[in-house]
Amino acid sequence: QVQLVESGGGLVQPGGSLRLSCAVSGSIMAFYAMGWYRQAPGKQRELVARISRGGSKNYADSVKGRFTIPRDDAKKTVDLQMNSLKSEDTAVYYCNMESRPDYWGRGTQVTVSS
């Protein structure tokens, strides 16, 4: 049974940092691209960052220069390091594994507020 479990969300002040982690079980993560998505209230889910199985990275324009997406295939984790957080980064963040079918975690809440 494949499972993706996110952790690391919480409340942070504007300008602060958080590191999210996604742990994969039941599958070989190294075979697949991995992504982080987010969904804010009343908005569609959007891609935040993606890393291919070869390590190529793509970021949404809104997070370029602030977020990074490292992966550790041995540990079967993919993280999202978020720096210089803004209120508009507030959302539920989801981890995705681009397998066939693809798999999603249940999400972790990130709230950026003073």
Side-chain angles (χ1 to χ4, degrees), residues 25-26 40 52 54-55 60 63 79 94 96:
S25 61
S52 72
V63 306
D79 292 352
Y94 298 90
N96 172 255

Side-chain angles (χ1 to χ4, degrees), residues 2-4 24 27 32-35 37 45 94-105:
V2 178
Q3 286 190 318
L4 279 65
V24 177
S27 180
Y32 307 109
M34 301 294 296
Y37 289 72
R45 190 173 297 189
Y94 298 90
C95 178
N96 172 255
M97 184 170 75
E98 294 183 12
S99 49
R100 298 282 179 94
D102 66 341
Y103 291 92
W104 293 85

Side-chain angles (χ1 to χ4, degrees), residues 21 24 28 30 37 78 81 86:
S21 187
V24 177
I28 301 175
Y37 289 72
V78 58
Q81 177 65 45
K86 305 175 182 179

Side-chain angles (χ1 to χ4, degrees), residues 30-49:
F31 289 168
Y32 307 109
M34 301 294 296
W36 281 96
Y37 289 72
R38 68 186 180 188
Q39 188 166 19
K43 295 188 177 181
Q44 289 188 330
R45 190 173 297 189
E46 62 174 354
L47 176 65
V48 176

